[in-house]
Amino acid sequence: ALEDELAAKLFMRNTRQVQLTAAGRVFLDKARLALEAVREARDAVAAVQGLTRGRLAIGTVQSLPAFVDLPALLASFHELYPGIEVRLCQGNADHLADKIRSGAIDLAIVPLIEAPRGIATKMIACEYLVAICSKNHPLAGRTDVPLSAFRDEPFVDFEQAWGTRQLVDTGFRHAGVDRRVAFEVNDLGTLIELVSRGLGMALVPEAIAQAEADTLGVVRLAEPQMCWELAVATLAGSGDEVILDGAPKAFMDLLIAARSVEDEQEAAA
């Protein structure tokens, strides 16, 4: 049957023995290579499923330390799965969503406003926004402050493509309050430095304000408060749900476990 399929004579037969023809010897060599490739492929799949080999590509926005200790998390992942190659890139939410769609990264940790097309998200943190200002600002330390109180204040904020900026813009728009953004930045360090020097106010998640409480004044907002959500974004499955396996799933499980421990510690405190 094989000779018929190949239209070539593979064996020389007589009553005593069967020998390979020249075509048969060539075919046997290639068949052995094919079988070896199948075995290697099977072993490679088993290694990936067993997390002894593989790749994990992660994307993040900047300014995660207050919510996710990413270096510590990556160190824990490497200790558990030393055979997995880990890659990391930073960018804004739209840029990272494009990388997920193209397959350049497996998942991204991003602020959640609205899931982009084709992207599934799972929330891992939720923080109310508070206003930060210089220590000597008249509003420093006040609570239950409406957004209208900031109408004449200069603001320091991220560029418009950043998730936190979109959330703040939406909150002020819904409140019917115009605000003046005097400084647009793309990193948290510069934003905090400008605010601490009295050049403007900013709205940031509460965890960031608490981490900088020694150098900044904090203003707590009146209801309805704006909630900043941090999520893991992945390529959406057929039902727009998060579907992961192998190394990405192991990292996701480790991240969720780490967040649960932090939440328990905060509750105890």
Side-chain angles (χ1 to χ4, degrees):
L2 190 57
E3 288 178 327
D4 290 342
E5 181 180 344
L6 298 173
K9 191 172 182 62
L10 302 179
F11 305 98
M12 293 184 295
R13 307 173 185 84
N14 57 38
T15 57
R16 299 178 185 176
Q17 59 182 352
V18 176
Q19 292 182 325
L20 290 170
T21 64
R25 286 192 294 272
V26 170
F27 184 84
L28 178 60
D29 290 341
K30 298 299 183 182
R32 284 172 173 161
L33 291 174
L35 290 172
E36 180 63 18
V38 170
R39 185 191 64 77
E40 290 177 355
R42 185 182 294 112
D43 291 345
V45 170
V48 170
Q49 292 299 103
L51 297 175
T52 58
R53 287 170 53 191
R55 189 205 75 162
L56 172 64
I58 303 168
T60 74
V61 294
Q62 295 180 355
S63 311
L64 284 181
F67 311 96
V68 177
D69 189 346
L70 191 59
L73 194 64
L74 292 175
S76 297
F77 185 85
H78 178 69
E79 184 176 353
L80 290 170
Y81 311 109
I84 302 296
E85 177 189 358
V86 179
R87 297 178 183 176
L88 177 68
C89 68
Q90 288 186 324
N92 63 42
D94 291 340
H95 174 69
L96 295 176
D98 289 340
K99 282 185 170 291
I100 291 172
R101 293 190 194 98
S102 70
I105 59 177
D106 300 301
L107 55 86
I109 305 172
V110 294
L112 178 62
I113 305 298
E114 182 178 349
R117 176 185 53 82
I119 302 297
T121 58
K122 180 178 180 63
M123 188 177 71
I124 57 173
C126 181
E127 291 273 343
Y128 286 121
L129 294 186
V130 297
I132 54 174
C133 56
S134 62
K135 280 283 193 179
N136 60 359
H137 193 283
L139 292 176
R142 288 184 54 184
T143 60
D144 202 31
V145 177
L147 292 182
S148 58
F150 305 115
R151 190 184 305 274
D152 298 323
E153 296 287 344
F155 269 81
V156 184
D157 211 331
F158 295 107
E159 295 177 358
Q160 294 188 5
W162 292 72
T164 307
R165 171 67 181 270
Q166 296 172 22
L167 176 62
V168 174
D169 284 347
T170 299
F172 273 90
R173 185 169 60 252
H174 287 171
V177 177
D178 292 329
R179 69 171 183 139
R180 177 166 61 92
V181 178
F183 300 91
E184 285 188 336
V185 300
N186 60 10
D187 69 282
L188 181 62
T190 302
L191 181 145
I192 289 173
E193 182 70 15
L194 291 171
V195 171
S196 68
R197 293 181 180 275
L199 295 174
M201 306 187 74
L203 262 62
V204 298
E206 189 169 10
I208 291 177
Q210 290 175 348
E212 303 293 335
D214 291 342
T215 58
L216 297 175
V218 178
V219 185
R220 302 194 179 277
L221 306 180
E223 298 289 346
Q225 296 188 52
M226 286 178 272
C227 185
W228 182 90
E229 297 178 353
L230 188 67
V232 173
T234 67
L235 197 63
S238 58
D240 288 337
E241 72 275 19
V242 172
I243 298 178
L244 293 173
D245 64 359
K249 182 179 186 303
F251 179 82
M252 178 83 139
D253 292 343
L254 192 63
L255 172 58
I256 292 173
R259 283 298 310 169
S260 296
V261 170
E262 291 178 14
D263 291 343
E264 290 174 2
Q265 291 174 343
E266 291 173 3

